[in-house]
Amino acid sequence: MLIKLFRSGKGGGSAPVDYLIASHVLAYDGNRDLIRDDAGVPLMKSRDPLPEVLAGDPDHTRALIDACPHAWTYRAGVISFDKDDHPTDEQQQAVMDAFDELAFAGLDRDQVDMLWVRHSHEGRVELHFCTPRMELTSGKSLNIAPPGYQKAMDSLRDMLNKEHGWADPQDPSRSQDIKQLPEKKFRAQGREDIQHWLEDLIVAGRISSRPDMVAALEGAGFELPRQGKTYLTVKDPDSDTRWRLKGDIFHAD
């Protein structure tokens, strides 16, 4: 089991929340290449089983993110189990509770909002979470991953993996596979793939404004070092590869 927080957090609540609960997503092959029909249009696939909301309310979380007055409006991530872990429902609840206790230490439940959604369509359990970056009673900024957070998250991961015998991502026998995944993912993603992906999200109604587009890119793990009126510079932070995306698609206001 591993805990990952995404490089994201700006924009409205539609992009992060709608992605978690969507019944259909873009179809990729084993190399993370988009699967297209004969006309070059990206194909969609059904999530089967469908996403399950385990805690929180998607509409409430979306509205709170929309109302957040800060530059960074949300934080999202995932607790992902290996295909051989098979955590029970009770164990999954205990993991979510432990994460909440760490992330919101010292705060009461009415001070925070947390959406938990389970994905299992990839053949393993993924507990996705999304929280507004705002303490609800005061409206002040609330960052569940301040500088140095990784050490605490790693300690929680290691404790739970040891307690339940789940797969350890730090196991040397797994390190080769773990290191290769980001490389394969981003090698398959070029400028055209990213632009087609954004266009598909617009057609699907999941992007209706430029902030939504920015949030979708950041939610996918990209950085945006330059944002012009008619273009966006998209950067893969792992490989430092950059793409310039431009055209009418970026006039969505």
Side-chain angles (χ1 to χ4, degrees):
M1 179 270 287
L2 59 85
I3 302 173
K4 180 177 179 60
L5 278 84
F6 302 137
R7 298 183 182 93
S8 58
K10 293 185 177 181
S14 293
V17 173
D18 292 355
Y19 169 77
L20 293 190
I21 62 176
S23 60
H24 291 75
V25 291
L26 288 167
Y28 293 89
D29 63 19
N31 292 321
R32 293 300 296 170
D33 287 314
L34 278 170
I35 300 175
R36 304 177 185 276
D37 63 18
D38 294 339
V41 178
L43 299 179
M44 303 290 287
K45 69 174 183 179
S46 299
R47 281 173 166 166
D48 184 19
L50 291 172
E52 302 171 80
V53 176
L54 302 180
D57 180 285
D59 291 336
H60 188 60
T61 299
R62 189 187 298 110
L64 286 172
I65 294 172
D66 288 342
C68 185
H70 310 294
W72 293 88
T73 54
Y74 67 91
R75 197 74 200 240
V78 63
I79 298 177
S80 181
F81 294 86
D82 188 81
K83 291 184 178 180
D84 295 327
D85 284 342
H86 307 300
T88 66
D89 289 348
E90 292 76 14
Q91 289 171 335
Q92 292 173 49
Q93 184 63 55
V95 168
M96 291 187 292
D97 290 343
F99 183 90
D100 284 347
E101 289 176 6
L102 174 61
F104 303 120
L107 298 175
D108 295 330
R109 292 305 304 174
D110 62 353
Q111 293 179 269
V112 301
D113 176 79
M114 187 62 141
L115 175 65
W116 284 98
V117 180
R118 177 166 56 207
H119 291 177
S120 54
H121 59 281
E122 297 289 352
R124 63 176 179 271
V125 173
E126 296 180 347
L127 302 176
H128 287 260
F129 56 87
C130 183
T131 180
R133 283 188 56 160
M134 178 173 59
E135 192 277 308
L136 302 185
T137 60
S138 67
K140 294 181 179 179
S141 180
L142 172 62
N143 182 12
I144 67 170
Y149 79 92
Q150 194 64 56
K151 183 176 181 179
M153 295 293 180
D154 288 349
S155 295
L156 176 62
R157 175 203 66 199
D158 294 343
M159 180 189 72
L160 292 170
N161 283 338
K162 184 176 181 179
E163 178 181 350
H164 298 286
W166 293 327
D168 178 6
Q170 302 302 307
D171 185 338
S173 65
R174 297 170 51 84
S175 61
Q176 183 71 15
D177 293 335
I178 293 171
K179 290 180 180 179
Q180 287 180 353
L181 284 175
E183 182 182 356
K184 289 181 178 179
K185 174 183 177 182
F186 290 112
R187 182 185 298 142
Q189 287 181 316
R191 182 186 62 80
E192 291 185 359
D193 276 345
I194 296 172
Q195 188 146 336
H196 281 304
W197 172 63
L198 291 171
E199 290 170 345
D200 191 67
L201 292 179
I202 291 174
V203 172
R206 291 176 55 194
I207 289 180
S208 59
S209 66
R210 187 182 178 92
D212 286 345
M213 187 179 302
V214 170
L217 287 163
E218 292 179 332
F222 295 107
E223 295 178 0
L224 304 174
R226 295 183 64 86
Q227 300 184 36
K229 291 184 178 180
T230 61
Y231 72 88
L232 294 173
T233 298
V234 178
K235 174 186 174 183
D236 164 26
D238 295 314
S239 66
D240 205 33
T241 304
R242 298 176 183 233
W243 300 276
R244 175 65 62 88
L245 308 182
K246 57 185 178 180
D248 292 341
I249 183 176
F250 302 107
H251 289 283
D253 292 319

PDB file of all heavy atoms in Angstrom, residues 118-152:
ATOM      1  N   ARG A 118     -13.996   5.261  -3.343  1.00  0.00           N
ATOM      2  CA  ARG A 118     -13.250   4.034  -3.656  1.00  0.00           C
ATOM      3  C   ARG A 118     -13.340   3.718  -5.147  1.00  0.00           C
ATOM      4  O   ARG A 118     -14.419   3.684  -5.729  1.00  0.00           O
ATOM      5  CB  ARG A 118     -13.801   2.854  -2.844  1.00  0.00           C
ATOM      6  CG  ARG A 118     -13.117   1.524  -3.176  1.00  0.00           C
ATOM      7  CD  ARG A 118     -13.436   0.457  -2.133  1.00  0.00           C
ATOM      8  NE  ARG A 118     -14.863   0.254  -1.964  1.00  0.00           N
ATOM      9  CZ  ARG A 118     -15.429  -0.188  -0.820  1.00  0.00           C
ATOM     10  NH1 ARG A 118     -14.674  -0.448   0.225  1.00  0.00           N
ATOM     11  NH2 ARG A 118     -16.729  -0.353  -0.749  1.00  0.00           N
ATOM     12  N   HIS A 119     -12.175   3.464  -5.756  1.00  0.00           N
ATOM     13  CA  HIS A 119     -12.088   2.957  -7.124  1.00  0.00           C
ATOM     14  C   HIS A 119     -11.567   1.529  -7.081  1.00  0.00           C
ATOM     15  O   HIS A 119     -10.584   1.244  -6.369  1.00  0.00           O
ATOM     16  CB  HIS A 119     -11.132   3.803  -7.972  1.00  0.00           C
ATOM     17  CG  HIS A 119     -11.625   5.169  -8.271  1.00  0.00           C
ATOM     18  ND1 HIS A 119     -10.883   6.097  -8.971  1.00  0.00           N
ATOM     19  CD2 HIS A 119     -12.803   5.786  -7.980  1.00  0.00           C
ATOM     20  CE1 HIS A 119     -11.571   7.224  -9.086  1.00  0.00           C
ATOM     21  NE2 HIS A 119     -12.733   7.060  -8.484  1.00  0.00           N
ATOM     22  N   SER A 120     -12.195   0.630  -7.816  1.00  0.00           N
ATOM     23  CA  SER A 120     -11.716  -0.751  -7.879  1.00  0.00           C
ATOM     24  C   SER A 120     -11.755  -1.304  -9.300  1.00  0.00           C
ATOM     25  O   SER A 120     -11.563  -2.501  -9.507  1.00  0.00           O
ATOM     26  CB  SER A 120     -12.547  -1.651  -6.948  1.00  0.00           C
ATOM     27  OG  SER A 120     -13.935  -1.536  -7.225  1.00  0.00           O
ATOM     28  N   HIS A 121     -11.979  -0.432 -10.297  1.00  0.00           N
ATOM     29  CA  HIS A 121     -12.122  -0.888 -11.679  1.00  0.00           C
ATOM     30  C   HIS A 121     -10.797  -1.347 -12.294  1.00  0.00           C
ATOM     31  O   HIS A 121     -10.797  -1.987 -13.347  1.00  0.00           O
ATOM     32  CB  HIS A 121     -12.735   0.214 -12.542  1.00  0.00           C
ATOM     33  CG  HIS A 121     -11.949   1.483 -12.580  1.00  0.00           C
ATOM     34  ND1 HIS A 121     -12.007   2.400 -11.552  1.00  0.00           N
ATOM     35  CD2 HIS A 121     -11.079   1.986 -13.492  1.00  0.00           C
ATOM     36  CE1 HIS A 121     -11.209   3.421 -11.843  1.00  0.00           C
ATOM     37  NE2 HIS A 121     -10.635   3.197 -12.996  1.00  0.00           N
ATOM     38  N   GLU A 122      -9.662  -1.005 -11.681  1.00  0.00           N
ATOM     39  CA  GLU A 122      -8.364  -1.432 -12.206  1.00  0.00           C
ATOM     40  C   GLU A 122      -7.894  -2.749 -11.587  1.00  0.00           C
ATOM     41  O   GLU A 122      -6.761  -3.168 -11.792  1.00  0.00           O
ATOM     42  CB  GLU A 122      -7.311  -0.349 -11.952  1.00  0.00           C
ATOM     43  CG  GLU A 122      -7.576   0.971 -12.660  1.00  0.00           C
ATOM     44  CD  GLU A 122      -7.356   0.874 -14.165  1.00  0.00           C
ATOM     45  OE1 GLU A 122      -6.847  -0.172 -14.632  1.00  0.00           O
ATOM     46  OE2 GLU A 122      -7.701   1.836 -14.880  1.00  0.00           O
ATOM     47  N   GLY A 123      -8.772  -3.390 -10.826  1.00  0.00           N
ATOM     48  CA  GLY A 123      -8.414  -4.676 -10.245  1.00  0.00           C
ATOM     49  C   GLY A 123      -7.718  -4.575  -8.902  1.00  0.00           C
ATOM     50  O   GLY A 123      -7.207  -5.584  -8.390  1.00  0.00           O
ATOM     51  N   ARG A 124      -7.677  -3.382  -8.334  1.00  0.00           N
ATOM     52  CA  ARG A 124      -7.106  -3.182  -6.996  1.00  0.00           C
ATOM     53  C   ARG A 124      -7.912  -2.087  -6.300  1.00  0.00           C
ATOM     54  O   ARG A 124      -8.634  -1.332  -6.956  1.00  0.00           O
ATOM     55  CB  ARG A 124      -5.638  -2.777  -7.077  1.00  0.00           C
ATOM     56  CG  ARG A 124      -5.399  -1.450  -7.781  1.00  0.00           C
ATOM     57  CD  ARG A 124      -3.928  -1.061  -7.749  1.00  0.00           C
ATOM     58  NE  ARG A 124      -3.710   0.193  -8.450  1.00  0.00           N
ATOM     59  CZ  ARG A 124      -3.448   0.292  -9.743  1.00  0.00           C
ATOM     60  NH1 ARG A 124      -3.381  -0.813 -10.486  1.00  0.00           N
ATOM     61  NH2 ARG A 124      -3.245   1.465 -10.313  1.00  0.00           N
ATOM     62  N   VAL A 125      -7.775  -1.975  -5.006  1.00  0.00           N
ATOM     63  CA  VAL A 125      -8.505  -0.967  -4.237  1.00  0.00           C
ATOM     64  C   VAL A 125      -7.702   0.331  -4.221  1.00  0.00           C
ATOM     65  O   VAL A 125      -6.516   0.335  -3.881  1.00  0.00           O
ATOM     66  CB  VAL A 125      -8.765  -1.444  -2.799  1.00  0.00           C
ATOM     67  CG1 VAL A 125      -9.369  -0.322  -1.959  1.00  0.00           C
ATOM     68  CG2 VAL A 125      -9.692  -2.657  -2.809  1.00  0.00           C
ATOM     69  N   GLU A 126      -8.362   1.435  -4.596  1.00  0.00           N
ATOM     70  CA  GLU A 126      -7.778   2.765  -4.501  1.00  0.00           C
ATOM     71  C   GLU A 126      -8.746   3.650  -3.722  1.00  0.00           C
ATOM     72  O   GLU A 126      -9.900   3.804  -4.125  1.00  0.00           O
ATOM     73  CB  GLU A 126      -7.528   3.372  -5.879  1.00  0.00           C
ATOM     74  CG  GLU A 126      -6.501   2.620  -6.710  1.00  0.00           C
ATOM     75  CD  GLU A 126      -6.281   3.258  -8.069  1.00  0.00           C
ATOM     76  OE1 GLU A 126      -7.108   4.132  -8.461  1.00  0.00           O
ATOM     77  OE2 GLU A 126      -5.306   2.898  -8.749  1.00  0.00           O
ATOM     78  N   LEU A 127      -8.279   4.204  -2.611  1.00  0.00           N
ATOM     79  CA  LEU A 127      -9.091   5.099  -1.790  1.00  0.00           C
ATOM     80  C   LEU A 127      -8.683   6.534  -2.116  1.00  0.00           C
ATOM     81  O   LEU A 127      -7.664   7.022  -1.633  1.00  0.00           O
ATOM     82  CB  LEU A 127      -8.899   4.789  -0.309  1.00  0.00           C
ATOM     83  CG  LEU A 127      -9.237   3.356   0.124  1.00  0.00           C
ATOM     84  CD1 LEU A 127      -8.903   3.162   1.601  1.00  0.00           C
ATOM     85  CD2 LEU A 127     -10.706   3.025  -0.149  1.00  0.00           C
ATOM     86  N   HIS A 128      -9.456   7.192  -2.963  1.00  0.00           N
ATOM     87  CA  HIS A 128      -9.159   8.560  -3.364  1.00  0.00           C
ATOM     88  C   HIS A 128      -9.782   9.545  -2.384  1.00  0.00           C
ATOM     89  O   HIS A 128     -10.892   9.323  -1.882  1.00  0.00           O
ATOM     90  CB  HIS A 128      -9.716   8.833  -4.764  1.00  0.00           C
ATOM     91  CG  HIS A 128      -8.945   8.160  -5.853  1.00  0.00           C
ATOM     92  ND1 HIS A 128      -8.015   8.819  -6.618  1.00  0.00           N
ATOM     93  CD2 HIS A 128      -8.969   6.874  -6.304  1.00  0.00           C
ATOM     94  CE1 HIS A 128      -7.495   7.990  -7.493  1.00  0.00           C
ATOM     95  NE2 HIS A 128      -8.050   6.791  -7.333  1.00  0.00           N
ATOM     96  N   PHE A 129      -9.071  10.641  -2.128  1.00  0.00           N
ATOM     97  CA  PHE A 129      -9.587  11.652  -1.210  1.00  0.00           C
ATOM     98  C   PHE A 129      -9.412  13.036  -1.805  1.00  0.00           C
ATOM     99  O   PHE A 129      -8.517  13.291  -2.623  1.00  0.00           O
ATOM    100  CB  PHE A 129      -8.902  11.570   0.157  1.00  0.00           C
ATOM    101  CG  PHE A 129      -7.398  11.680   0.114  1.00  0.00           C
ATOM    102  CD1 PHE A 129      -6.768  12.920   0.143  1.00  0.00           C
ATOM    103  CD2 PHE A 129      -6.611  10.543   0.058  1.00  0.00           C
ATOM    104  CE1 PHE A 129      -5.385  13.017   0.113  1.00  0.00           C
ATOM    105  CE2 PHE A 129      -5.225  10.628   0.026  1.00  0.00           C
ATOM    106  CZ  PHE A 129      -4.609  11.870   0.051  1.00  0.00           C
ATOM    107  N   CYS A 130     -10.284  13.936  -1.388  1.00  0.00           N
ATOM    108  CA  CYS A 130     -10.223  15.331  -1.818  1.00  0.00           C
ATOM    109  C   CYS A 130     -10.776  16.195  -0.693  1.00  0.00           C
ATOM    110  O   CYS A 130     -11.857  15.901  -0.154  1.00  0.00           O
ATOM    111  CB  CYS A 130     -11.043  15.542  -3.098  1.00  0.00           C
ATOM    112  SG  CYS A 130     -10.962  17.228  -3.772  1.00  0.00           S
ATOM    113  N   THR A 131     -10.035  17.236  -0.324  1.00  0.00           N
ATOM    114  CA  THR A 131     -10.450  18.107   0.774  1.00  0.00           C
ATOM    115  C   THR A 131     -10.226  19.564   0.403  1.00  0.00           C
ATOM    116  O   THR A 131      -9.194  19.898  -0.202  1.00  0.00           O
ATOM    117  CB  THR A 131      -9.685  17.763   2.070  1.00  0.00           C
ATOM    118  OG1 THR A 131     -10.109  18.625   3.134  1.00  0.00           O
ATOM    119  CG2 THR A 131      -8.186  17.902   1.891  1.00  0.00           C
ATOM    120  N   PRO A 132     -11.156  20.453   0.707  1.00  0.00           N
ATOM    121  CA  PRO A 132     -10.920  21.887   0.483  1.00  0.00           C
ATOM    122  C   PRO A 132      -9.772  22.370   1.349  1.00  0.00           C
ATOM    123  O   PRO A 132      -9.629  21.940   2.500  1.00  0.00           O
ATOM    124  CB  PRO A 132     -12.244  22.540   0.914  1.00  0.00           C
ATOM    125  CG  PRO A 132     -13.247  21.436   0.913  1.00  0.00           C
ATOM    126  CD  PRO A 132     -12.497  20.192   1.266  1.00  0.00           C
ATOM    127  N   ARG A 133      -8.946  23.253   0.814  1.00  0.00           N
ATOM    128  CA  ARG A 133      -7.831  23.787   1.614  1.00  0.00           C
ATOM    129  C   ARG A 133      -8.321  24.977   2.418  1.00  0.00           C
ATOM    130  O   ARG A 133      -7.907  26.118   2.220  1.00  0.00           O
ATOM    131  CB  ARG A 133      -6.655  24.160   0.714  1.00  0.00           C
ATOM    132  CG  ARG A 133      -5.888  22.932   0.264  1.00  0.00           C
ATOM    133  CD  ARG A 133      -4.616  23.253  -0.476  1.00  0.00           C
ATOM    134  NE  ARG A 133      -3.692  24.103   0.258  1.00  0.00           N
ATOM    135  CZ  ARG A 133      -2.395  24.200  -0.027  1.00  0.00           C
ATOM    136  NH1 ARG A 133      -1.884  23.486  -1.022  1.00  0.00           N
ATOM    137  NH2 ARG A 133      -1.624  25.008   0.653  1.00  0.00           N
ATOM    138  N   MET A 134      -9.231  24.675   3.339  1.00  0.00           N
ATOM    139  CA  MET A 134      -9.861  25.730   4.129  1.00  0.00           C
ATOM    140  C   MET A 134     -10.397  25.148   5.426  1.00  0.00           C
ATOM    141  O   MET A 134     -11.077  24.115   5.417  1.00  0.00           O
ATOM    142  CB  MET A 134     -10.996  26.370   3.310  1.00  0.00           C
ATOM    143  CG  MET A 134     -11.770  27.454   4.025  1.00  0.00           C
ATOM    144  SD  MET A 134     -12.950  28.294   2.910  1.00  0.00           S
ATOM    145  CE  MET A 134     -13.973  26.899   2.380  1.00  0.00           C
ATOM    146  N   GLU A 135     -10.077  25.796   6.540  1.00  0.00           N
ATOM    147  CA  GLU A 135     -10.673  25.438   7.832  1.00  0.00           C
ATOM    148  C   GLU A 135     -12.054  26.070   7.858  1.00  0.00           C
ATOM    149  O   GLU A 135     -12.207  27.272   7.671  1.00  0.00           O
ATOM    150  CB  GLU A 135      -9.781  25.951   8.963  1.00  0.00           C
ATOM    151  CG  GLU A 135     -10.134  25.398  10.328  1.00  0.00           C
ATOM    152  CD  GLU A 135     -11.267  26.161  10.984  1.00  0.00           C
ATOM    153  OE1 GLU A 135     -11.153  27.405  11.058  1.00  0.00           O
ATOM    154  OE2 GLU A 135     -12.263  25.534  11.395  1.00  0.00           O
ATOM    155  N   LEU A 136     -13.087  25.267   8.071  1.00  0.00           N
ATOM    156  CA  LEU A 136     -14.454  25.686   7.778  1.00  0.00           C
ATOM    157  C   LEU A 136     -15.013  26.731   8.729  1.00  0.00           C
ATOM    158  O   LEU A 136     -15.863  27.527   8.339  1.00  0.00           O
ATOM    159  CB  LEU A 136     -15.373  24.457   7.755  1.00  0.00           C
ATOM    160  CG  LEU A 136     -14.989  23.360   6.758  1.00  0.00           C
ATOM    161  CD1 LEU A 136     -16.050  22.267   6.744  1.00  0.00           C
ATOM    162  CD2 LEU A 136     -14.791  23.924   5.354  1.00  0.00           C
ATOM    163  N   THR A 137     -14.593  26.761   9.973  1.00  0.00           N
ATOM    164  CA  THR A 137     -15.177  27.713  10.913  1.00  0.00           C
ATOM    165  C   THR A 137     -14.589  29.110  10.786  1.00  0.00           C
ATOM    166  O   THR A 137     -15.232  30.093  11.116  1.00  0.00           O
ATOM    167  CB  THR A 137     -15.011  27.225  12.369  1.00  0.00           C
ATOM    168  OG1 THR A 137     -13.616  27.085  12.663  1.00  0.00           O
ATOM    169  CG2 THR A 137     -15.702  25.882  12.554  1.00  0.00           C
ATOM    170  N   SER A 138     -13.357  29.204  10.305  1.00  0.00           N
ATOM    171  CA  SER A 138     -12.698  30.505  10.177  1.00  0.00           C
ATOM    172  C   SER A 138     -12.484  30.944   8.741  1.00  0.00           C
ATOM    173  O   SER A 138     -12.315  32.124   8.458  1.00  0.00           O
ATOM    174  CB  SER A 138     -11.331  30.468  10.879  1.00  0.00           C
ATOM    175  OG  SER A 138     -10.444  29.595  10.195  1.00  0.00           O
ATOM    176  N   GLY A 139     -12.483  29.980   7.809  1.00  0.00           N
ATOM    177  CA  GLY A 139     -12.191  30.285   6.416  1.00  0.00           C
ATOM    178  C   GLY A 139     -10.706  30.405   6.125  1.00  0.00           C
ATOM    179  O   GLY A 139     -10.313  30.693   4.985  1.00  0.00           O
ATOM    180  N   LYS A 140      -9.851  30.174   7.133  1.00  0.00           N
ATOM    181  CA  LYS A 140      -8.410  30.288   6.935  1.00  0.00           C
ATOM    182  C   LYS A 140      -7.886  29.092   6.137  1.00  0.00           C
ATOM    183  O   LYS A 140      -8.490  28.028   6.118  1.00  0.00           O
ATOM    184  CB  LYS A 140      -7.697  30.380   8.285  1.00  0.00           C
ATOM    185  CG  LYS A 140      -8.009  31.648   9.062  1.00  0.00           C
ATOM    186  CD  LYS A 140      -7.231  31.680  10.378  1.00  0.00           C
ATOM    187  CE  LYS A 140      -7.505  32.964  11.154  1.00  0.00           C
ATOM    188  NZ  LYS A 140      -6.762  32.995  12.451  1.00  0.00           N
ATOM    189  N   SER A 141      -6.744  29.303   5.503  1.00  0.00           N
ATOM    190  CA  SER A 141      -6.143  28.247   4.695  1.00  0.00           C
ATOM    191  C   SER A 141      -5.749  27.054   5.565  1.00  0.00           C
ATOM    192  O   SER A 141      -5.243  27.223   6.680  1.00  0.00           O
ATOM    193  CB  SER A 141      -4.916  28.785   3.959  1.00  0.00           C
ATOM    194  OG  SER A 141      -4.329  27.772   3.169  1.00  0.00           O
ATOM    195  N   LEU A 142      -5.990  25.850   5.048  1.00  0.00           N
ATOM    196  CA  LEU A 142      -5.660  24.617   5.765  1.00  0.00           C
ATOM    197  C   LEU A 142      -4.958  23.676   4.799  1.00  0.00           C
ATOM    198  O   LEU A 142      -5.560  23.183   3.844  1.00  0.00           O
ATOM    199  CB  LEU A 142      -6.925  23.959   6.322  1.00  0.00           C
ATOM    200  CG  LEU A 142      -6.744  22.559   6.938  1.00  0.00           C
ATOM    201  CD1 LEU A 142      -5.802  22.620   8.128  1.00  0.00           C
ATOM    202  CD2 LEU A 142      -8.096  21.983   7.346  1.00  0.00           C
ATOM    203  N   ASN A 143      -3.695  23.433   5.041  1.00  0.00           N
ATOM    204  CA  ASN A 143      -2.893  22.567   4.175  1.00  0.00           C
ATOM    205  C   ASN A 143      -2.589  21.275   4.917  1.00  0.00           C
ATOM    206  O   ASN A 143      -1.869  21.282   5.924  1.00  0.00           O
ATOM    207  CB  ASN A 143      -1.592  23.269   3.774  1.00  0.00           C
ATOM    208  CG  ASN A 143      -0.753  22.424   2.825  1.00  0.00           C
ATOM    209  OD1 ASN A 143      -1.219  21.423   2.290  1.00  0.00           O
ATOM    210  ND2 ASN A 143       0.481  22.840   2.617  1.00  0.00           N
ATOM    211  N   ILE A 144      -3.135  20.152   4.436  1.00  0.00           N
ATOM    212  CA  ILE A 144      -2.907  18.877   5.110  1.00  0.00           C
ATOM    213  C   ILE A 144      -1.528  18.301   4.780  1.00  0.00           C
ATOM    214  O   ILE A 144      -1.151  17.266   5.336  1.00  0.00           O
ATOM    215  CB  ILE A 144      -3.998  17.846   4.755  1.00  0.00           C
ATOM    216  CG1 ILE A 144      -3.916  17.448   3.278  1.00  0.00           C
ATOM    217  CG2 ILE A 144      -5.370  18.370   5.129  1.00  0.00           C
ATOM    218  CD1 ILE A 144      -4.802  16.267   2.924  1.00  0.00           C
ATOM    219  N   ALA A 145      -0.799  18.954   3.869  1.00  0.00           N
ATOM    220  CA  ALA A 145       0.531  18.464   3.485  1.00  0.00           C
ATOM    221  C   ALA A 145       1.537  19.608   3.521  1.00  0.00           C
ATOM    222  O   ALA A 145       2.063  20.017   2.491  1.00  0.00           O
ATOM    223  CB  ALA A 145       0.481  17.833   2.106  1.00  0.00           C
ATOM    224  N   PRO A 146       1.833  20.136   4.704  1.00  0.00           N
ATOM    225  CA  PRO A 146       2.813  21.226   4.823  1.00  0.00           C
ATOM    226  C   PRO A 146       4.216  20.702   4.561  1.00  0.00           C
ATOM    227  O   PRO A 146       4.426  19.485   4.462  1.00  0.00           O
ATOM    228  CB  PRO A 146       2.643  21.689   6.272  1.00  0.00           C
ATOM    229  CG  PRO A 146       2.190  20.460   6.988  1.00  0.00           C
ATOM    230  CD  PRO A 146       1.305  19.721   6.018  1.00  0.00           C
ATOM    231  N   PRO A 147       5.206  21.579   4.435  1.00  0.00           N
ATOM    232  CA  PRO A 147       6.588  21.122   4.228  1.00  0.00           C
ATOM    233  C   PRO A 147       7.000  20.089   5.271  1.00  0.00           C
ATOM    234  O   PRO A 147       6.761  20.256   6.459  1.00  0.00           O
ATOM    235  CB  PRO A 147       7.401  22.419   4.369  1.00  0.00           C
ATOM    236  CG  PRO A 147       6.448  23.491   3.930  1.00  0.00           C
ATOM    237  CD  PRO A 147       5.101  23.053   4.443  1.00  0.00           C
ATOM    238  N   GLY A 148       7.592  19.003   4.787  1.00  0.00           N
ATOM    239  CA  GLY A 148       8.005  17.923   5.669  1.00  0.00           C
ATOM    240  C   GLY A 148       6.948  16.861   5.902  1.00  0.00           C
ATOM    241  O   GLY A 148       7.179  15.912   6.653  1.00  0.00           O
ATOM    242  N   TYR A 149       5.783  16.999   5.240  1.00  0.00           N
ATOM    243  CA  TYR A 149       4.684  16.066   5.482  1.00  0.00           C
ATOM    244  C   TYR A 149       5.028  14.635   5.075  1.00  0.00           C
ATOM    245  O   TYR A 149       4.484  13.673   5.647  1.00  0.00           O
ATOM    246  CB  TYR A 149       3.433  16.513   4.715  1.00  0.00           C
ATOM    247  CG  TYR A 149       3.453  16.150   3.241  1.00  0.00           C
ATOM    248  CD1 TYR A 149       2.896  14.965   2.787  1.00  0.00           C
ATOM    249  CD2 TYR A 149       4.042  16.990   2.300  1.00  0.00           C
ATOM    250  CE1 TYR A 149       2.920  14.621   1.448  1.00  0.00           C
ATOM    251  CE2 TYR A 149       4.077  16.656   0.963  1.00  0.00           C
ATOM    252  CZ  TYR A 149       3.516  15.484   0.533  1.00  0.00           C
ATOM    253  OH  TYR A 149       3.546  15.143  -0.791  1.00  0.00           O
ATOM    254  N   GLN A 150       5.914  14.469   4.098  1.00  0.00           N
ATOM    255  CA  GLN A 150       6.161  13.149   3.538  1.00  0.00           C
ATOM    256  C   GLN A 150       6.655  12.163   4.595  1.00  0.00           C
ATOM    257  O   GLN A 150       6.307  10.979   4.581  1.00  0.00           O
ATOM    258  CB  GLN A 150       7.179  13.244   2.401  1.00  0.00           C
ATOM    259  CG  GLN A 150       7.253  11.986   1.537  1.00  0.00           C
ATOM    260  CD  GLN A 150       5.949  11.714   0.793  1.00  0.00           C
ATOM    261  OE1 GLN A 150       5.469  12.570   0.060  1.00  0.00           O
ATOM    262  NE2 GLN A 150       5.377  10.534   1.006  1.00  0.00           N
ATOM    263  N   LYS A 151       7.463  12.641   5.543  1.00  0.00           N
ATOM    264  CA  LYS A 151       7.995  11.754   6.576  1.00  0.00           C
ATOM    265  C   LYS A 151       6.869  11.160   7.416  1.00  0.00           C
ATOM    266  O   LYS A 151       6.873   9.959   7.729  1.00  0.00           O
ATOM    267  CB  LYS A 151       8.981  12.516   7.457  1.00  0.00           C
ATOM    268  CG  LYS A 151       9.651  11.656   8.516  1.00  0.00           C
ATOM    269  CD  LYS A 151      10.694  12.446   9.304  1.00  0.00           C
ATOM    270  CE  LYS A 151      11.386  11.576  10.341  1.00  0.00           C
ATOM    271  NZ  LYS A 151      12.412  12.345  11.101  1.00  0.00           N
ATOM    272  N   ALA A 152       5.886  12.004   7.788  1.00  0.00           N
ATOM    273  CA  ALA A 152       4.765  11.512   8.596  1.00  0.00           C
ATOM    274  C   ALA A 152       3.896  10.548   7.791  1.00  0.00           C
ATOM    275  O   ALA A 152       3.449   9.514   8.316  1.00  0.00           O
ATOM    276  CB  ALA A 152       3.934  12.693   9.101  1.00  0.00           C
TER     277      ALA A 152
END
